[in-house]
Structures are given as C-alpha cells and as structure tokens.
Amino acid sequence: MNAPLPVEVLKQHLIDPEICIRCNTCEETCPVDAITHDANNYVVDPDVCNGCMACVPPCPTGSIDNWRLVVRAEAYTVQEQFGWEELPQEKSLPLAAGASSAAVDAAGASQVASAGMAAMPAPPVTPPTPGATVPPWSAAHPYVNLYTHKTPITATVVGNYRVTGADTESDIHHIVLDFGEQLFPVLEGQSIGILPPGTDAQGRPHHARQYSLASPRDGERAGYNNLSLTVKRVTQDHGGAAAHGVCSNYLCDLARNDTVQVIGPFGHTFLMPNHPRANLIMICTGTGSAPMRAMTERSRRLLGAADVGKLMLFFGARTERELPYFGPLMKLPRDFIDINLALSREPGQPKRYVQDLIRERAEPVRQLLSDRNTCIYVCGLKGMEVGVLDALRDVVVQSGEDWSILHDALRREGRLHFETY
Ligand code: FAD
C-alpha cells in the first residue's frame, strides 16, 4: 500500500478583528514586518510571520493572540483577512491516513518553530520595543476587555471644556464621562476605546479609537464613577494636510448629557507602581499628559495616607498656552512634583524640547535612575522616543555607568514604559 503524503500543517497567527482596536502597536513591534493593515483590519502575513511572539505582550487587548491550525497550502491570505468581520471557526484538518489528530497537532506546533523558522531570518537579538512589556512589580491588577465592540458600555458626558488657550491652534478638550451604576474599573495608565457613530467610506461602522485616562482609579472626582479624557481635535493629518478626524471631532463636539459608546478598559503594562516611596519620572508632550495627570492626581490623593515617592515631570509643548492643564499644574506644590516645561515656540525664548531639559537636569534624573523604586513613563508624539532614550543614555553614560545594562534592567523590571501615537 502506498504511504500517505505528509500534510504540512501551520499554526497560523491571526488577529481578532472584533477585539482589535487598530492601535498599530503590533505592526510597530513586529521585527520581521509580518503585520500590515488596510482601512478595515490588521492582519498577519503567513508567509512572513515566524511565530516569534514579539507582538503578543505589547498588544493592549489580547486580540493579537489568536492561532488556527491550517494546512499550510490553505493558510488564510492577507487579502482574505482584510475582508473579515470576525475570526473563522477552527477547521478540521484532513488527517493523513494512519495519522492521529494528536500527531497532526504536534506537527502543527512544531511546524511553526521549524518550517517557519527555517524559511525566515531569525528574530533580531535587540529588543523590538525600547520599553518594558511587563508592568512594574507592584502595579495593581488591571481589568481589560470588559466591554467589547459587540458589548459596549454607554457613558454619559458630564463635562467637556477646552484646556488650551482659545487663541491657539491646538484645540484640546477635557472630557468627563460618567458610568452611573455600571462597573467600569480602571487604573492610571490604561486607556479606553470610543466607538464613534456612523460608518466609514466602505459603509462599515467606524472602528474604535483609543484614549488614555486622564483621571485616577477612584474617578475624576474622588468617589464618583466617572473618568476623564484629554482629547486633541485632529484637523490636519500627520503631514499637515487638512483632515477631519472622525472620533476626536465627535468627542470635542459632545455636549453635557450626550451619551457615548465605550469599550475596554485596555492596557496591562503602562501602569504605575503601587508600593511606598516609588518614584515617577514622567515625560510627555500634548495629550501624552493624560496618563501623567492620572498618576500625579493618584499620588496627590495618597499624600498624607501613604509614603509617596518623588515625582519629576518633563512636559513639552510649543507654548504655555498650548499646554493642557497648565494652570492647575502650576498650582501643585514644588515639594510634591518637580515640573520642567520644555517650550519650543515661546516668543523670546530659545527652543527647548523635553530631551534638552532631561540633559539640563542630569543630576536629579541620574539620582532617580539609580533608585530601583523609580519608574519612567513616556507618552505623546511617536517621534519623541528616540530623543528621550538618547537623553537618558547620555545622563547615565556621563556618570560613568553602562546604559545598556541599566536599559535592560529597566525593561525587564517593568520600569520604562512608552505610549506614543
Ligand atoms: P482619524 O479619522 O482616525 O484620522 C484622520 C486623519 O488624521 C488621518 O489621516 C490620520 O492619519 C491623521 N491623524 C490621526 N491621529 C492624528 C494625530 N494625533 N495628529 C495628527 N494627525 C492624526 N488621542 C488623544 O487626543 N488623546 C489621548 O489621550 C490619546 N491616547 C491614545 C492612546 C493610545 C494607546 C493610542 C494608540 C492613541 C491615542 N490617541 C489619543 C490617538 C487617538 O486614538 C486617535 O488616533 C486620534 O484622536 C485621531 O482619531 P480621529 O478619529 O480623530 O482621526
């Protein structure tokens, strides 16, 4: 009798379109460029993915962590995945005569590691992201994905006002959402998804946009079941051409008592430490100030009741009037938070960026970096990552220490976090 032909099985990596919030983290993280997207979905190219898992921990929703055993020749193509509204059901594999399903499963698992790896270059040795993919050891346990695209929660707008100067181009709003009697537990550093009403050019419902919390875990107003967001109205695309941001304009135009559809919460790593005397270095631009506001306010509310560590803030904007929450920020006591403002277009002043101020304040930054109770948070424009890392490295190297050793420790111990968009 002829022996059955072997079936090449692939454990195919897929992204769940119903949970994915299109935040681009996976595409940025993938070391072999296997992840791409169109206006509808984020997808994984089965011919490129080597199963290295680098994209899995940073995904804020877990939508990235989906796998299907398929016959390799019948793997779902990128084009097929672009059209999905939901993941396909698991297919039963055509068993080669004489093979047990256990044998095929085992083959499938090993194919990812062996056949996939053989065809692809090995993943790079350098970490795919400059920040940690684990939370600080003492962070509180976050809830994620309690509400999804299929089961959103309705929140009511109880406040919406501008927090940048009315005469500036930068229209940033502080928006307060109330959840009434419904459960919506959050932590500082987490984000939520907003489902804007209406449909896109293809007639499909708009996908969710993500917004960082600007309020601490016990509410914008302590003890109330509400939270706040810091939303910038998008009127130009990244290249400066006129554009009408779907969700940011929707949010900035909301009135009191309007309702919004919310999903989430998201994020399980960009979380603040929960132990006494933990220090925070916070580095942000624009709406990247939202999680810093949440963490600062959490620390402020703990004053007197807990042993709060040092807070150091580097905050960049073009001018003071474009700096969200400028007034309330400047009223915080200087022995509570060390505030450093980097203004790049303030008339009569030299241009300064956050990385310039980090270098200027090298000594206190170095002291904090040498304390294992210090966590660093960077949030704002994508372009700031490299500049901030270079500045931190310079501070450390100047004092005769090895940046690569410290950088590895900061990542491993969940003490260096980036959220840029
Ligand atoms: P879209 O309709 O999606 O885009 C319109 C056009 O503008 C497109 O060409 C697009 O490329 C471009 N564009 C999109 N975003 C920007 C931008 N920021 N600047 C310039 N051009 C842009 N935003 C906040 O305002 N506050 C937050 O706290 C916040 N937190 C975020 C946290 C995370 C983890 C992530 C991934 C994003 C966050 N964002 C935040 C960005 C937010 O999710 C939206 O991308 C942003 O509001 C634009 O959405 P939109 O629907 O208005 O624009």
Side-chain angles (χ1 to χ4, degrees):
M1 204 164 79
N2 290 336
L5 288 172
V7 177
E8 193 184 355
V9 176
L10 173 73
K11 187 175 166 194
Q12 184 172 2
H13 187 193
L14 300 171
I15 299 173
D16 187 338
E18 289 186 283
I19 301 178
C20 172
I21 48 174
R22 283 79 177 163
C23 66
N24 208 49
T25 306
C26 54
E27 193 170 319
E28 281 163 26
T29 311
C30 178
V32 293
D33 292 334
I35 300 179
T36 180
H37 71 277
D38 71 352
N40 195 35
N41 283 338
Y42 275 73
V43 302
V44 187
D45 187 337
D47 295 329
V48 181
C49 176
N50 59 11
C52 74
M53 302 291 281
C55 58
V56 173
C59 170
T61 65
S63 58
I64 194 84
D65 200 7
N66 281 282
W67 309 84
R68 293 283 186 276
L69 285 184
V70 294
V71 174
R72 183 179 267 284
E74 295 169 9
Y76 299 106
T77 64
V78 162
Q79 286 309 320
E80 278 177 279
Q81 297 174 53
F82 280 146
W84 286 348
E85 301 294 328
E86 57 185 33
L87 283 178
Q89 294 292 318
E90 209 57 88
K91 283 196 248 179
S92 56
L93 290 169
L95 298 183
S100 69
S101 68
V104 173
D105 282 350
S110 66
Q111 288 290 348
V112 178
S114 58
M117 290 296 210
M120 297 303 141
V125 182
T126 49
T129 57
T133 53
V134 291
W137 69 269
S138 62
H141 177 78
Y143 287 92
V144 292
N145 287 334
L146 293 179
Y147 301 90
T148 66
H149 288 81
K150 278 197 175 154
T151 59
I153 185 173
T154 302
T156 304
V157 178
V158 292
N160 183 354
Y161 58 89
R162 184 170 169 144
V163 283
T164 44
D167 55 339
T168 66
E169 276 174 32
S170 177
D171 185 4
I172 300 183
H173 282 234
H174 182 68
I175 299 170
V176 186
L177 301 179
D178 191 274
F179 290 85
E181 300 295 310
Q182 310 162 98
L183 290 176
F184 199 78
V186 291
L187 291 174
E188 308 78 16
Q190 284 195 292
S191 59
I192 63 169
I194 299 286
L195 293 172
T199 53
D200 63 17
Q202 284 77 41
R204 286 187 278 249
H206 287 300
H207 65 77
R209 269 57 163 193
Q210 225 175 324
Y211 295 92
S212 304
L213 296 180
S215 50
R217 62 191 78 181
D218 56 341
E220 166 66 13
R221 190 166 166 198
Y224 281 67
N225 192 18
N226 60 16
L227 58 79
S228 64
L229 307 175
T230 312
V231 180
K232 177 171 182 172
R233 187 190 292 276
V234 170
T235 55
Q236 293 182 338
D237 65 16
H238 292 289
H244 184 82
V246 171
C247 196
S248 58
N249 280 277
Y250 161 67
L251 285 171
C252 289
D253 290 338
L254 286 169
R256 266 178 83 93
N257 297 323
D258 282 347
T259 56
V260 286
Q261 298 295 296
V262 177
I263 63 174
F266 303 120
H268 49 265
T269 57
F270 195 106
L271 301 174
M272 65 187 293
N274 231 1
H275 64 280
R277 291 182 301 284
N279 309 309
L280 309 180
I281 299 180
M282 300 174 280
I283 306 165
C284 62
T285 55
T287 54
S289 57
M292 314 312 179
R293 180 182 186 270
M295 292 186 191
T296 303
E297 185 57 13
R298 167 75 182 164
S299 305
R300 197 188 64 79
R301 287 182 194 175
L302 285 175
L303 280 176
D307 206 350
V308 174
K310 293 187 173 129
L311 274 66
M312 189 169 198
L313 173 71
F314 294 93
F315 194 169
R318 291 192 295 194
T319 64
E320 265 179 25
R321 297 183 58 67
E322 291 192 24
L323 221 142
Y325 309 115
F326 178 70
L329 178 66
M330 298 318 281
K331 288 195 187 121
L332 292 172
R334 290 309 147 95
D335 57 355
F336 163 63
I337 180 168
D338 179 350
I339 300 172
N340 300 271
L341 302 182
L343 304 173
S344 60
R345 289 202 205 159
E346 192 68 48
Q349 285 186 23
K351 276 188 183 193
R352 287 156 106 207
Y353 297 95
V354 284
Q355 55 268 35
D356 300 326
L357 283 194
I358 293 170
R359 289 192 179 91
E360 278 178 36
R361 301 293 317 282
E363 187 44 31
V365 171
R366 196 198 57 72
Q367 276 177 21
L368 284 177
L369 285 176
S370 65
D371 182 344
R372 284 188 72 184
N373 292 308
T374 300
C375 293
I376 306 154
Y377 300 88
V378 184
C379 188
L381 295 173
K382 188 136 287 302
M384 69 191 292
E385 285 185 7
V386 173
V388 167
L389 272 175
D390 284 351
L392 292 174
R393 188 201 54 219
D394 288 352
V395 165
V396 171
V397 170
Q398 262 170 30
S399 64
E401 288 166 59
D402 188 323
W403 166 244
S404 61
I405 293 176
L406 179 62
H407 188 193
D408 280 353
L410 291 172
R411 294 183 76 250
R412 204 175 46 248
E413 294 167 11
R415 293 170 47 213
L416 174 62
H417 294 275
F418 289 86
E419 188 151 275
T420 56
Y421 46 85

